[in-house]
Amino acid sequence: MSSSNQEYTIINLNTLAYSKGNQPICELTGQPAGVKIVSEHITLFYAKREHAEQSWHGIMHKIAPLLGPLRSASVLVGSQEDRAKRDYTINMSKRALIDLCQQEASKMLVQQQYALAIPGAIQALSFLKDIFGDGSIESVPPYLLLAEANLGLEKFQQCEEFLSLANWAILNNPSSSNSIKSQLHRNFGKLYSAQGKLDEALKELAKDVYFSSLEVGPEHVDTSGGYFHMANIFYTQHSIENALAFYDKVVDIWYKFLALVRNDADVADTFSEAQMKEGIDMLNRIMSTRVKLLGDVHIATGEVKYTCGLLLLFVGERDRASQLIFDASTIYKDKLGESHPSTVDVVSVASQIQEQGVVPFSRNGTGGGGVRSGGGGGVSGGMDGGKGITQGSVEGMQGYSELMNQFPSDMPRAATQSPIPLPPQSRGVSAGMSVGSGMGGSGAL
C-alpha cells in the first residue's frame, strides 16, 4: 500500500524482512520504522505514515536533493589531500543545511505550524551533533526551537526536556552569549506560565529581561518580548496596573524601533520575519486588552492602534494598517481636538495614505519610520523618503516624500497607565536588574 504525489511515495515496510537489530530507525522519533519515503534523491524511514508526512512537508522536500549525496557511501580516494577535500565539502554542506533547517523551523513557528517545525529542528540538531558533538553550545538553538514547537502543541513534558538539554549545554559552556541565555529563560517563562506556575514564570522572565538587556539593551525590541510576557502574567494575576504599565513599555519600544529605522535604514535588515510577526502579535494583544479595559476610544488605545498600523505598513499589510491609522486619527481628533498638533499630524498621515495609496513601510521598498524618542513622553523624529527598509524602490510610491514629511515631529504620548515596578528578583538576577534601571518608574516610558 502506498500514498504518493509527484515528489515522493510512502510505502509500508515488511518488518519481517529485517534481521533482529537491523530494522531501520525513524528519522523523527528514533523508534523502529514501519514505513519509508521513496523519492528521486533519497529513501527515508519513519515509524508511522503521519511522521513521514510531517517530516516531508516540514523540511525534507527542501533538503532531499542535498541529503542524498551526504548519506551516500563514501567514494574511495587514494590520497590524504583528496580525503581532506571531501571531508571539508561534507562539513560545509552540513553547515549550510543547518542554517536552512533552522530557518524553516523558525518560519513554521511564526506560522504556528508547530508540528511542521519539529523536523527541521531535529535535522539541524543531527547535523550539529555530527560536527560539534553532544552537548555543544551550538546545539542550543535547535533545542529551543524544539521546545517552542512542543509548547505550541501543549506537550509540556517534552518542552521541559528540551529546555533542560539546552540549559545543560549552556552550563557546560560558560562563554555562551547573553542572547542565548535570554532565549532559554524566556522559553522557561512561557512554559511555566502555560502550566500555571506564574511566580516561577515571572522569575524566569526577569532573567530573560536581564540577559537581553546585557546583550542588546533594555529598550531593544528583542527585550520587549520579556516585558510582554510579564504583562500577560500580571494580567492573569489581576494586577491590572502592572499589566498596563508593562504593555505600555512594549508599545514604547516598538515606537522607538521605527524611529531607529528612520535614522538608519540598514537596521531593518537585521530583523527577521519572526521578529516582525512577534511585534505585530504583541501589539494586537495590547490593543485588545486596552480596548477591553480602557475602551475603544481611549487615547492609549489610539496610540497602540497608530503604532500597530505603522508596523503593519512596515511589513506591507497596507489595508489593515490604513484602517488602524484612520481609527487612531479619529480618536486623536476626539480626545485632543482637531487643532492639536499631534492630531493634525496623524490625520495628515492617514489622509496621505488614503489619497495616494502608498506603501511606505514595505520591506521590499523604501521608507522610514519617525516615531517618539521615548523617555517620559515626548516624540522626536519625522519621516522622509530618503531612507529605506532595503535599497531599491516599489511601484506605487508616488507621493511618498510628501507622506513621510507629514509624520508628526512632536507627538506627545498617551499618559502612562501606572509606574512600572521592577520585575521580581530571582536568584542570580537581582544584581543585574540595575542594567535595566530605566524600566522602573513612570519616567521609563
Side-chain angles (χ1 to χ4, degrees), residues 217-354:
E219 303 291 319
H220 196 276
V221 293
D222 287 348
T223 310
S224 70
Y227 299 130
F228 175 75
H229 292 296
M230 294 178 82
N232 291 341
I233 293 174
F234 285 131
Y235 185 82
T236 302
Q237 293 177 326
H238 304 291
S239 182
I240 303 303
E241 287 192 354
N242 289 346
L244 288 173
F246 273 79
Y247 284 143
D248 195 68
K249 184 65 175 176
V250 175
V251 177
D252 181 67
I253 288 173
W254 279 95
Y255 221 90
K256 291 175 183 176
F257 164 75
L258 296 174
L260 188 61
V261 171
R262 179 187 68 84
N263 295 324
D264 184 2
D266 293 337
V267 170
D269 293 333
T270 66
F271 288 86
S272 66
E273 177 188 357
Q275 288 173 304
M276 298 304 166
K277 177 65 163 55
E278 182 184 26
I280 292 169
D281 289 344
M282 288 191 294
L283 292 174
N284 279 329
R285 170 69 181 271
I286 294 170
M287 190 190 314
S288 64
T289 302
R290 285 186 173 178
V291 168
K292 180 178 179 180
L293 297 177
L294 306 174
D296 191 49
V297 295
H298 193 280
I299 187 64
T301 304
E303 180 189 48
V304 71
K305 284 185 175 183
Y306 190 48
T307 306
C308 188
L310 293 175
L311 187 55
L312 286 167
L313 284 177
F314 183 101
V315 299
E317 296 185 26
R318 179 183 178 277
D319 291 342
R320 184 161 179 266
S322 300
Q323 185 60 56
L324 288 174
I325 293 175
F326 297 151
D327 290 347
S329 67
T330 301
I331 294 172
Y332 274 90
K333 285 189 288 185
D334 181 57
K335 299 300 180 182
L336 301 180
E338 294 191 8
S339 61
H340 193 282
S342 298
T343 305
V344 172
D345 288 333
V346 176
V347 170
S348 296
V349 172
S351 298
Q352 291 285 338
I353 292 174
Q354 188 175 39

Side-chain angles (χ1 to χ4, degrees), residues 46-59:
Y46 297 94
K48 298 178 180 179
R49 299 178 70 83
E50 52 264 37
H51 295 145
E53 295 280 1
Q54 176 186 359
S55 180
W56 184 263
H57 294 293
I59 191 63

Side-chain angles (χ1 to χ4, degrees), residues 362-380:
S362 172
R363 284 191 62 80
N364 294 321
T366 57
V371 293
R372 64 192 171 189
S373 60
V379 174
S380 69

Side-chain angles (χ1 to χ4, degrees), residues 146-200:
L146 288 166
E148 191 168 351
N150 280 280
L151 179 60
L153 295 171
E154 298 185 353
K155 296 181 178 180
F156 299 143
Q157 182 178 349
Q158 291 91 326
C159 174
E160 191 159 14
E161 289 174 358
F162 285 120
L163 289 177
S164 296
L165 289 169
N167 188 40
W168 179 252
I170 289 174
L171 291 174
N172 287 333
N173 294 272
S175 61
S176 57
S177 70
N178 290 316
S179 176
I180 285 291
K181 294 175 183 177
S182 168
Q183 294 174 48
L184 174 69
H185 290 296
R186 182 170 302 178
N187 278 283
F188 266 121
K190 291 162 66 175
L191 170 64
Y192 292 151
S193 177
Q195 292 176 320
K197 303 174 183 177
L198 301 185
D199 290 337
E200 292 180 51

